[in-house]
Amino acid sequence: MVLYNFKQIQVVPTGKDFVDIVLSKTQRQTPTVVHNGWAINRIRQFYMRKVKFTQSSWHDKLTKILEDFPKVDDMHPFFGDLLNVLYDRDHYKLALGQLHTARNLIDKVSQDYVRLMKYGDSLYRCKELKRAALGRMCTIMKKQGPSLAYLEQVRQHMSRLPAIEPNTRTLLVCGYPNVGKSSFMNKVTRADVDVQPYAFTTKSLFVGHMDYRYLRWQVIDTPGILDRPLEERNTIEMQSITALAHLRAAVLYVLDISEQCGHSLAQQAALFHSIKPLFANKPLLVVANKVDVTQLESLAPADKALIDEMVSEAARMSGVSPEDAKLLTMSTLTEVGVMEVKQIACDRLLASRVEAKLQGKRIQDVAFRMHVAQPKPRDRQGRPPVIPANLAAARARKDAGEKMRTEKDVEDENGGAGVYSADLRKHYMLDNPSWKRDIMPEIIEGKNVLDYVDPEIEAKLEALEMEEEALAAAAAIEANEMDIDDLTPEQQELLRRIQARRKVVVREHRLKKGAGNNQAIVPRRNNPRRISNTQTMKASLERVGLDASKAIARARSRSVSRVGRKRQRDASAGAGEAMEVDGSQAPEKKRIHSAKSRSMSRGRALSTAKPIEGSGLKNVAQKNKAIKMGDRAQRRMGKMARKGEADRHIPDLKPKHLFSGKRGIGKTDRR
């Protein structure tokens, strides 16, 4: 059976709104400009497109409506009969059938006029055919106005129907009006049904859910039923009759023994016997409500006989033994007996569902695949259940009336929260209870880590530290006692500079350490202290008392030699050109000279390529050979003109075919 979610049915527009929606969509999403100078085939295609688009819009929208509304023959019998009670099944089918016919007529109109439009010989003739086609379609849909209005009313009512699952575990509460059905449902579920002291407060089915034995149950509250013939019952009563007829549930027939509902016990018993065929093959319980107003013992013998007759009849119909049959009593006002009624009803329903499954045909297929394993005893030793000694002692103290001493009591006795710290080790279960207070209670063969620590380690460590402090003090005294008079005036000046420089370095280090990482990093070219040139090198070396003349001369000589080599190459090239012009040197000699200079230049450059430690190259010769082999391999890739890792690549982060705007049919943004 297909279960529909009636709340997902879309709104059904009226006939006039339907026409406006489709024609507006056609105007917006089809071309709107046509010229008389176009070829006749193009004009035909223009108007044929409008007719086909309109027909497609009608077809899609009508198909959506027909698919949303459930088919009566495919629904569960409960929903089918409930639909028949509320809306009349014949009217419902007629309305859907008329929409189905209208859809076929619109398709036929479109087909006929498209066929005629293929023979249109002018723009005016094609335009009139298009107007006629759209006009006939709109006329057909305007005639469906009553059907569309009826279906919208049905949709609104169906969206308000409760979500009832016909095949799940269900408790169905029924009886006369104002006997306490809604009050019982509010007590056992999370529902909030309106309860008033007059009849027919509940006018439709209400569903609530509860949990019992880790299972989800649904409880259905039905409107009150009066004892009269079926043809005289109204729509409100027929909803209850439909639920009793089709739902596989445990039925709770509620009696008002106080007769405050306005009906006597004889009338309630008569209703029970009149609707008795609806209780067949269902667990049935008779529940007496309002025992807080009238006690069961205070009833008249005739009323007791009627109640006993109903209880015995309910037991017979449910297949319960007469010994187990009994009248359930409760009071929804004081909640006496409410939970007992709920438990007994749920247990009866579970037992009946299991029995029904055992009597079915599928149980045989399942039984052949089942195997019940019985454990075998591994020895003859008895293992009776044992209660731990501490638990037994706690139970004994509880039975003796002693209050259990909790950790909260200990905390209050020792100063309260924030002062007392709970002892988490007193419940440790160790082989030796003395291990609980160990600093490191990891047990290794009966010992912990502290058992392997030298107990005099702290005294030895203190003696070692004192020895180091004595050595450091002696070294300081020896340094201070250095005889400065033995030094020459130059050495004394140098020592003074070194000590001053040391103080500056220490002070700068402390300032940098105190500032942390909050100082901004100034680029080297803008920081006068970090500029690398011969002046700064000379000043830094002279500050520590070193002669910087040789270092400066070496740096300048390297710079001069680099510039000199460049000038030498330029001079040799100029001399060669001059010789070639003068004719005093042969071209062959010039080529040999230029090749030699190039090889010397390359060799001088390669000689600086020192191998890095750990790279696998022993000396400069192997490093130069590796560079040549790499150049040779790259030369072949260069001839193939392929992209390498050194080639610059600017990725296109927004490719046009993915990020450019796409305009759908009928959009006029370009205008």
Side-chain angles (χ1 to χ4, degrees):
M1 295 296 178
V2 179
L3 299 180
Y4 287 92
N5 186 1
F6 302 125
K7 293 180 176 58
Q8 291 184 350
I9 302 176
Q10 295 184 359
V11 178
V12 180
T14 62
K16 184 178 181 305
D17 293 342
F18 221 146
V19 171
D20 294 342
I21 289 171
V22 174
L23 293 185
S24 174
K25 184 178 180 181
T26 303
Q27 181 70 11
R28 285 183 292 107
Q29 297 193 7
T30 55
T32 55
V33 179
V34 61
H35 298 289
N36 200 13
W38 286 358
I40 188 62
N41 190 29
R42 185 177 178 184
I43 296 174
R44 289 171 187 164
Q45 293 294 333
F46 177 85
Y47 287 108
M48 286 166 59
R49 179 177 179 180
K50 285 188 174 294
V51 174
K52 289 181 180 178
F53 187 87
T54 306
Q55 175 266 334
S56 174
S57 300
W58 289 118
H59 185 91
D60 294 344
K61 291 186 177 297
L62 291 175
T63 302
K64 179 64 176 173
I65 293 175
L66 294 174
E67 290 178 352
D68 281 351
F69 281 90
K71 295 179 176 59
V72 179
D73 298 334
D74 294 341
M75 298 171 67
H76 192 275
F78 166 70
F79 290 112
D81 284 359
L82 189 62
L83 197 67
N84 187 28
V85 167
L86 296 175
Y87 322 115
D88 193 345
R89 183 181 311 188
D90 295 335
H91 291 174
Y92 180 76
K93 285 187 173 181
L94 281 174
L96 291 179
Q98 288 177 356
L99 291 186
H100 187 274
T101 304
R103 184 182 65 177
N104 293 338
L105 288 176
I106 289 175
D107 294 345
K108 187 69 169 60
V109 167
S110 172
Q111 184 179 2
D112 294 343
Y113 275 88
V114 167
R115 186 182 295 114
L116 290 174
M117 207 173 292
K118 289 181 180 178
Y119 300 98
D121 55 356
S122 66
L123 185 148
Y124 177 77
R125 210 176 285 269
C126 293
K127 181 178 180 180
E128 292 303 312
L129 288 173
K130 185 263 298 184
R131 289 185 60 189
L134 267 61
R136 288 192 60 184
M137 293 180 190
C138 295
T139 303
I140 293 172
M141 283 311 302
K142 285 181 180 179
K143 292 181 180 179
Q144 305 304 319
S147 298
L148 294 172
Y150 171 77
L151 288 176
E152 173 60 17
Q153 294 295 324
V154 172
R155 183 199 68 82
Q156 293 178 6
H157 283 79
M158 293 177 71
S159 64
R160 291 192 288 268
L161 285 178
I164 298 176
E165 175 63 39
N167 298 317
T168 190
R169 296 163 291 275
T170 308
L171 300 183
L172 192 63
V173 189
C174 65
Y176 259 96
N178 203 24
V179 296
K181 303 185 295 297
S182 300
S183 300
F184 172 77
M185 180 174 173
N186 289 341
K187 297 297 181 184
V188 299
T189 68
R190 293 182 287 271
D192 187 13
V193 184
D194 187 20
V195 177
Q196 298 295 338
Y198 49 82
F200 287 106
T201 306
T202 303
K203 298 181 180 180
S204 62
L205 298 176
F206 285 91
V207 180
H209 294 85
M210 66 178 184
D211 294 330
Y212 179 69
R213 289 193 176 183
Y214 303 103
L215 298 173
R216 178 56 60 91
W217 299 69
Q218 68 179 2
V219 182
I220 300 179
D221 179 21
T222 61
I225 308 173
L226 299 178
D227 185 19
R228 53 186 176 180
L230 187 64
E231 58 272 7
E232 296 181 6
R233 289 195 169 103
N234 56 21
T235 303
I236 297 176
E237 296 176 84
M238 287 303 298
Q239 295 182 49
S240 301
I241 300 298
T242 303
L244 287 170
H246 293 291
L247 294 179
R248 300 173 56 187
V251 181
L252 300 178
Y253 186 80
V254 183
L255 295 173
D256 182 5
I257 61 176
S258 67
E259 299 182 354
Q260 290 182 349
C261 63
H263 303 278
S264 63
L265 281 174
Q267 292 175 328
Q268 299 180 49
L271 175 63
F272 176 83
H273 291 292
S274 66
I275 63 175
K276 185 170 59 177
L278 300 175
F279 302 147
N281 300 323
K282 296 184 182 73
L284 177 61
L285 291 89
V286 179
V287 183
N289 191 19
K290 302 183 182 180
V291 294
D292 57 327
V293 179
T294 302
Q295 297 295 327
L296 198 61
E297 293 79 10
S298 63
L299 294 177
D303 294 338
K304 285 185 178 180
L306 291 175
I307 294 176
D308 293 340
E309 183 183 358
M310 285 190 290
V311 172
S312 59
E313 187 65 20
R316 184 189 63 80
M317 296 181 65
S318 303
V320 180
S321 61
E323 294 80 9
D324 297 335
K326 64 177 182 178
L327 176 66
L328 303 179
T329 59
M330 69 176 181
S331 172
T332 55
L333 182 62
T334 60
E335 299 186 13
V336 175
V338 173
M339 291 299 110
E340 183 183 0
V341 171
K342 166 190 167 183
Q343 293 174 4
I344 294 176
C346 293
D347 293 339
R348 289 270 187 92
L349 181 59
L350 285 177
S352 65
R353 288 169 67 93
V354 171
E355 184 179 356
K357 290 180 180 179
L358 290 176
Q359 293 177 357
K361 296 180 180 180
R362 297 181 59 186
I363 190 62
Q364 300 298 331
D365 300 336
V366 177
F368 289 135
R369 298 197 298 268
M370 293 176 62
H371 171 68
V372 180
Q374 296 291 340
K376 296 181 180 180
R378 58 184 179 183
D379 51 28
R380 296 181 181 180
Q381 183 178 357
R383 293 178 177 84
V386 178
I387 300 177
N390 55 354
L391 182 58
R395 289 183 179 178
R397 288 194 300 269
K398 183 178 180 181
D399 295 340
E402 297 181 8
K403 183 182 177 182
M404 184 177 179
R405 184 178 173 82
T406 62
E407 195 69 25
K408 177 65 175 175
D409 299 333
V410 179
E411 178 183 335
D412 295 338
E413 294 174 0
N414 291 273
V419 179
Y420 171 74
S421 180
D423 187 7
L424 303 179
R425 301 183 181 182
K426 62 183 178 181
H427 297 298
Y428 283 0
M429 300 176 65
L430 303 176
D431 294 339
N432 188 353
S434 62
W435 293 344
K436 292 182 180 180
R437 308 300 171 187
D438 287 348
I439 299 175
M440 301 180 66
E442 291 83 1
I443 306 305
I444 305 172
E445 297 181 358
K447 296 182 180 181
N448 58 25
V449 177
L450 289 181
D451 293 331
Y452 297 95
V453 175
D454 188 357
E456 300 179 357
I457 186 67
E458 295 184 359
K460 294 180 180 179
L461 181 60
E462 186 177 358
L464 182 60
E465 290 178 352
M466 292 177 63
E467 183 180 356
E468 290 180 353
E469 291 178 358
L471 292 175
I477 292 171
E478 183 179 355
N480 293 331
E481 292 180 352
M482 183 176 61
D483 192 2
I484 302 177
D485 298 336
D486 297 340
L487 301 178
T488 62
E490 292 80 5
Q491 292 176 346
Q492 292 179 6
E493 180 65 19
L494 181 60
L495 179 59
R496 186 186 61 77
R497 290 182 181 180
I498 291 174
Q499 291 175 351
R501 178 59 183 167
R502 182 174 177 275
K503 292 179 181 179
V504 172
V505 171
V506 170
R507 184 171 64 254
E508 290 180 353
H509 175 70
R510 288 176 179 173
L511 288 174
K512 188 182 298 184
K513 187 176 180 182
N517 294 326
N518 295 328
Q519 290 183 347
I521 299 176
V522 182
R524 184 180 293 272
R525 64 177 179 274
N526 297 331
N527 191 353
R529 296 184 179 181
R530 299 182 62 195
I531 295 177
S532 297
N533 51 29
T534 55
Q535 288 81 4
T536 56
M537 181 175 66
K538 179 180 178 181
S540 61
L541 291 177
E542 287 181 350
R543 275 199 300 269
V544 297
L546 298 178
D547 188 8
S549 58
K550 294 183 179 180
I552 293 174
R554 181 173 179 273
R556 287 179 176 174
S557 63
R558 294 185 63 184
S559 175
V560 169
S561 62
R562 195 177 300 116
V563 175
R565 284 199 301 273
K566 184 174 182 301
R567 290 177 178 174
Q568 185 178 1
R569 286 197 299 269
D570 294 342
S572 62
E577 291 174 1
M579 291 177 184
E580 187 177 358
V581 172
D582 294 342
S584 59
Q585 188 175 357
E588 188 66 25
K589 227 172 186 185
K590 180 197 125 182
R591 283 198 297 269
I592 293 173
H593 178 75
S594 61
K596 182 178 180 182
S597 63
R598 281 199 302 270
S599 64
M600 288 176 63
S601 175
R602 185 167 59 249
R604 189 181 295 110
L606 291 177
S607 64
T608 61
K610 297 182 179 180
I612 302 173
E613 294 184 3
S615 62
L617 302 175
K618 297 180 181 179
N619 47 31
V620 177
Q622 287 190 357
K623 178 70 174 179
N624 294 338
K625 186 176 180 181
I627 293 174
K628 291 180 181 179
M629 292 174 66
D631 293 343
R632 228 177 278 123
Q634 190 63 31
R635 197 175 304 141
R636 182 171 52 186
M637 295 294 293
K639 289 182 178 179
M640 297 172 68
R642 291 190 177 182
K643 181 176 66 174
E645 61 182 8
D647 293 325
R648 186 182 181 191
H649 174 62
I650 302 176
D652 188 5
L653 299 180
K654 297 184 69 173
K656 183 174 178 59
H657 70 284
L658 291 180
F659 289 89
S660 62
K662 297 179 177 61
R663 187 177 63 85
I665 298 176
K667 299 289 185 181
T668 56
D669 296 341
R670 69 187 190 282
R671 302 176 189 172

